[in-house]
Amino acid sequence: MVLNPVVSTAQGAASPPTIFPELNELLGELVARVESILGDNFVGVYLTGSFALGAADHQSDCDFLVVTEDRVTADQERALRDLHDEIPTRSGLWTHDLEGSYASRADLKTLAGLDKRWLYVDRGWREMQWSTHCNTEDVRWTLRECGLTLAGPEPRELVHEVPADALRSRMRQLIESFLPDLFTWTSFDLAWAQRYAVTTLCRMLYTLDTGEVTSKQASLEWAKHALASRWRDLIQQVLDERALGWDPDDPPRTESVEATIAFSEYAKARAADSFP
């Protein structure tokens, strides 16, 4: 049976989960099937990422987090793997755009649980993995402060507060190693990767400055005005080309790559200067 869930925000307002009917149907089915698989181990299902931050569009993935009472059992893991192996084989846009993890209640209750591996499915993938991808300060902050509840208690009842200093500390680490880490899985042979780099650096600099998390679009708009004026053309280029999405045959302009590398060095210097 396909369901249309009603979602509540961290502030308690009730509304359909998204503006996309196809996605709403898929999320309703996801909640029902996950709850059936987990049984008494089920706590809740939440949207994080762009949807929680109010900035999702057709280019967005749909980030979710399922909370369990305890770590999933071997039988539950097999059933969840079968579920997420099947969903991307369907037609439609959003069946290829679900991305999320299965986290135990105990891991979320304390910051000591950060960076533990959770059962995770990447966008468009059929094979799940045990990963720290969603178990980070920024994802937890978004879930607690802005998360959309598809089923279960409000996020603030489950997720430990993430202090601004903890977010800033993680951003300093990520900015320092950003480009080497990025080049382990993509390259600037792709225009998408160049745009992704600028966007991600702007998001990290926003968090470093404010102690909060915001969307890709909002961080670019913030950076265009808050950062040094010499970066405005680069940031505007990324804003103008955001809708282009992934295209493996689309190379970046040489000057954009050079500017992005320089922008990464600027971000590292700004992060270093932000220490008390």
Side-chain angles (χ1 to χ4, degrees), residues 54-68:
D57 56 29
H58 281 99
Q59 300 295 331
S60 303
D61 52 7
C62 182
D63 298 291
F64 70 89
L65 194 83
V66 176
V67 181
T68 60

Side-chain angles (χ1 to χ4, degrees), residues 203-273:
R203 292 191 79 184
M204 291 190 290
L205 288 171
Y206 176 91
T207 297
L208 189 67
D209 189 79
T210 66
E212 298 181 353
V213 179
T214 195
S215 68
K216 299 178 181 69
Q217 178 81 20
S219 69
L220 288 164
E221 294 288 356
W222 167 85
K224 189 169 69 170
H225 301 289
L227 303 183
S229 60
R230 66 181 180 275
W231 306 115
R232 286 179 188 164
D233 288 347
L234 175 66
I235 294 166
Q236 189 61 53
Q237 172 249 317
V238 174
L239 282 166
D240 292 342
E241 297 177 5
R242 271 200 78 233
L244 295 178
W246 169 274
D247 181 351
D249 298 319
D250 180 23
R253 297 190 295 273
T254 301
E255 62 271 19
S256 296
V257 170
E258 293 172 348
T260 301
I261 293 171
F263 184 56
S264 175
E265 293 301 313
Y266 165 82
K268 287 197 293 185
R270 189 178 175 98
D273 287 345

Side-chain angles (χ1 to χ4, degrees), residues 129-148:
Q129 57 189 296
W130 287 91
S131 171
T132 63
H133 182 276
C134 297
N135 193 4
T136 59
E137 289 88 346
D138 57 307
V139 174
R140 288 187 185 221
W141 186 95
T142 303
L143 173 61
R144 186 179 191 276
E145 305 300 333
C146 309
L148 302 181

Side-chain angles (χ1 to χ4, degrees), residues 38-114:
L38 294 176
D40 291 342
N41 202 21
F42 178 86
V43 175
V45 184
Y46 306 89
L47 295 187
T48 63
S50 298
F51 282 95
L53 294 167
D57 56 29
H58 281 99
Q59 300 295 331
S60 303
D61 52 7
C62 182
D63 298 291
F64 70 89
L65 194 83
V66 176
V67 181
T68 60
E69 285 288 352
D70 301 298
R71 185 182 175 96
V72 296
T73 67
D75 286 344
Q76 290 167 351
E77 180 179 342
R78 281 192 290 271
L80 292 170
R81 286 181 180 275
D82 287 343
L83 172 63
H84 288 289
D85 176 64
E86 183 271 328
I87 288 175
T89 67
R90 305 179 193 176
S91 60
L93 170 66
W94 296 103
T95 56
H96 303 276
D97 289 326
L98 294 180
E99 179 172 327
S101 291
Y102 291 75
S104 73
R105 183 196 290 263
D107 285 350
L108 292 170
K109 273 295 185 184
T110 170
L111 295 183
L114 280 164

